[in-house]
Amino acid sequence: MARAKSVFSCTECGGQAPKWQGQCPHCEAWNTLVETAAEAGKVPGANRFASLGGTGEVVSLGEIEAKDFPRLPTLIGEFDRVLGGGMVEGGVVLIGGDPGIGKSTLLLQAAARLSEQVPVLYVTGEESAQQVALRARRLEVNAAKIRLLPEIELEKIQATIAKLKPGVAVIDSIQTLYSAALTSAPGSVAQVRECAAQFTRVAKQSGTAIVFVGHVTKEGALAGPRVLEHMVDTVLYFEGDTHTSFRLIRAFKNRFGAVNEMGVFAMTEKGLREVTNPSALFLSQHRADVAGSCVMVTQEGTRPLLVELQALVDESHGAQPRRLTVGLEQNRLAMLLAVLHRHAGIALFDQDVFVNAVGGVRIAEPGADLAVTLAIVSSLRNRALPAKHVVFGEVGLAGEVRPVQRGQERLREAAKLGFTHAIIPAANKPRHRIEGIEVVAVERLSEAVDYRA
Ligand code: TYD
Ligand code: MG
């Protein structure tokens, strides 16, 4: 078979060039030309992925019967939660994460459950069939029905999918595949992009749900940055400290469900085990109250989660005091320190400040502000916050404490875990008393800082 000719197309504007150049001749962006397969008969520069979703005929939206997507649950509750209820027919899911975090493990466990319901094809490009069989034995899953294909050539995998018509196909991993139509090496942006685009087309046409495994580069981006994310329906990331056994899986994009949902697993010697009540996970066990520690309630998707924040304030000896965060946003810390100074009269310009979210969890919401500030003040004064207190609330630049979403649910979760007091924004104060928890409503940061039990 003659090789299909390849062209170089720009990742920014889609313009094409016959050979590689440093600068795109169309939009003049630098370093954006990547090799892609040329398609005969297509207008150069036309978006080759344009008809991914259908037949290309014009219909009015009212004529289309909007039905719910039939879901194919993996029967792993935490995984289904982030997927939005299960796999979707013809849906394409990308699972990213560091090497060794447990992507293959989770997918093999899910594939075993799915194979009880539909035919499942597991394509392994990284490991041999023996290695996968060994893992299945170790996981003690019923993998007998999974069809395994050790293969890295795109065209052969496509042919197999066309022949077997599986309900679900797992591609482990997208970076090991190559298309014979391109000359670049497997794992290059051009190959990853081409393979993902082809599989997406296969999924939409055949109704097979496809899951890609994607490795994250050192900079934390999936290879083929941005390129894969817009092609697929769902992007999930595996997170977690490889030093602890906990693994979090988060949805970053989901055309079939909510984002910011989080699934929690523990890695055991028999694979990933679901953690259905993760709230207590991110609290460290102190025997006595310690200074610099504050428990907050954060909201992850539909679920409240209790997380302990720790701060350490220490005399600075450098010209520039240090501000370091783990699991929280660094710039936000600088902002909070400025607010503390201006609106509560607490100066930290000669102190190093370190803040850590316990258990390797990452908190992006501003609802952590009040807890961070109280942990810092507690460490500075070397006085522990009163026992059994939780905190949440956003701190504004004017020193006001602003409400967060779903305050009541957060309070209920805290009460469930035995907390007796909550320092929260006045606007979040529930109209009716919540059993077991006393609310301390604050309007200004200074009130929270001056609070005594
Ligand atoms: P793996 O799923 O191969 O990671 P990935 O596909 O994301 O690269 O997981 C590898 C790690 O998980 C490895 O360090 C060993 C550990 N592990 C367990 O602790 N228990 C198990 O049952 C399995 C299968 C793996
Ligand atoms: Mg793997």
Side-chain angles (χ1 to χ4, degrees):
M1 195 184 92
R3 285 217 152 161
K5 231 178 137 233
S6 62
V7 294
F8 290 83
S9 54
C10 174
T11 52
E12 295 289 324
C13 70
Q16 294 189 326
K19 61 180 186 357
W20 190 84
Q21 286 168 276
Q23 191 180 23
C24 170
H26 304 276
C27 68
E28 303 188 343
W30 289 94
N31 260 333
T32 55
L33 289 185
V34 293
E35 193 189 21
T36 47
E39 278 177 287
K42 280 264 170 96
V43 188
N47 186 351
R48 33 197 308 275
F49 309 125
S51 64
L52 278 183
T55 55
E57 273 163 38
V58 179
V59 287
S60 49
L61 205 46
E63 287 168 22
I64 304 166
E65 194 195 342
K67 38 181 205 266
D68 270 342
F69 307 105
R71 296 278 181 178
L72 191 59
T74 61
L75 302 179
I76 300 177
E78 294 291 299
F79 191 28
D80 283 338
R81 170 203 295 281
V82 278
L83 286 170
M87 303 269 204
V88 173
E89 203 176 280
V92 181
V93 180
L94 170 68
I95 297 189
D98 293 332
I101 195 116
K103 300 180 294 295
S104 306
T105 307
L106 177 67
L107 287 175
L108 193 60
Q109 288 178 285
R113 301 274 184 100
L114 286 164
S115 67
E116 306 275 323
Q117 311 164 59
V118 290
V120 173
L121 177 69
Y122 193 104
V123 180
T124 166
E126 284 185 358
E127 294 160 301
S128 67
Q130 278 79 11
Q131 282 173 304
V132 178
L134 211 63
R135 173 175 300 129
R137 199 174 71 193
R138 182 167 161 194
L139 294 174
E140 293 178 5
V141 292
N142 183 6
K145 287 192 197 140
I146 299 177
R147 309 298 300 271
L148 194 67
L149 175 67
E151 179 58 66
I152 57 169
E153 194 183 325
L154 169 74
E155 286 76 11
K156 289 189 184 151
I157 301 169
Q158 278 179 312
T160 312
I161 292 180
K163 200 172 80 199
L164 289 181
K165 298 192 177 59
V168 177
V170 177
I171 313 288
D172 188 1
S173 68
I174 189 81
Q175 273 111 343
T176 51
L177 305 192
Y178 75 98
S179 160
L182 300 182
T183 49
S184 41
S188 65
V189 173
Q191 288 285 8
V192 169
R193 184 180 150 97
E194 176 67 14
C195 293
Q198 293 296 345
F199 279 124
T200 306
R201 191 170 306 176
V202 167
K204 301 297 165 204
Q205 282 166 2
S206 65
T208 298
I210 296 187
V211 186
F212 299 139
V213 171
H215 289 293
V216 172
T217 60
K218 284 206 192 71
E219 299 83 49
L222 281 167
R226 311 254 76 87
V227 175
L228 283 184
E229 291 184 0
H230 80 258
M231 270 186 222
V232 302
D233 297 310
T234 305
V235 180
L236 307 179
Y237 279 94
F238 237 114
E239 292 171 6
D241 205 339
T242 27
H243 306 293
T244 67
S245 66
F246 296 110
R247 302 285 183 272
L248 310 177
I249 182 164
R250 253 187 234 258
F252 272 72
K253 158 181 173 180
N254 197 350
R255 289 185 184 147
F256 307 117
V259 285
N260 290 329
E261 279 291 2
M262 185 171 91
V264 184
F265 293 92
M267 182 63 97
T268 67
E269 67 275 21
K270 286 195 185 132
L272 289 161
R273 196 173 46 76
E274 289 179 62
V275 179
T276 43
N277 180 16
S279 241
L281 210 73
F282 303 108
L283 304 179
S284 64
Q285 311 290 327
H286 299 298
R287 248 172 279 132
D289 295 338
V290 292
S293 151
C294 181
V295 177
M296 76 161 296
V297 196
T298 179
Q299 185 82 24
E300 284 291 343
T302 54
R303 183 161 59 182
L305 195 69
L306 273 84
V307 179
E308 178 180 339
L309 300 181
Q310 297 182 329
L312 180 69
V313 176
D314 189 26
E315 196 179 318
S316 175
H317 293 287
Q320 278 279 347
R322 312 227 292 159
R323 274 89 180 85
L324 262 182
T325 59
V326 179
L328 293 144
E329 217 185 305
Q330 191 130 343
N331 289 335
R332 194 110 197 145
L333 172 62
M335 193 198 90
L336 290 175
L337 295 178
V339 176
L340 257 182
H341 184 210
R342 278 298 303 274
H343 296 287
I346 295 171
L348 290 148
F349 54 83
D350 54 353
Q351 305 283 332
D352 289 334
V353 179
F354 308 93
V355 182
N356 174 34
V358 170
V361 67
R362 262 215 305 267
I363 302 169
E365 68 153 355
D369 291 352
L370 191 58
V372 170
T373 348
L374 293 189
I376 292 170
V377 173
S378 158
S379 173
L380 178 72
R381 293 175 174 165
N382 199 19
R383 187 162 60 212
L385 281 158
K388 300 282 174 209
H389 277 53
V390 286
V391 178
F392 59 81
E394 180 180 344
V395 173
L397 286 184
E400 83 279 23
V401 177
R402 298 163 40 159
V404 298
Q405 291 177 356
R406 300 176 185 253
Q408 300 229 2
E409 287 170 42
R410 299 188 201 220
L411 288 173
R412 277 197 207 99
E413 181 73 12
K416 208 166 82 189
L417 283 157
F419 286 84
T420 56
H421 289 75
I423 307 174
I424 64 166
N428 274 123
K429 187 173 177 172
R431 244 172 271 138
H432 305 289
R433 197 176 169 276
I434 290 176
E435 194 60 45
I437 196 155
E438 212 62 61
V439 167
V440 182
V442 291
E443 272 172 17
R444 313 271 320 155
L445 177 63
S446 49
E447 293 169 43
V449 167
D450 294 336
Y451 169 76
R452 299 268 185 288

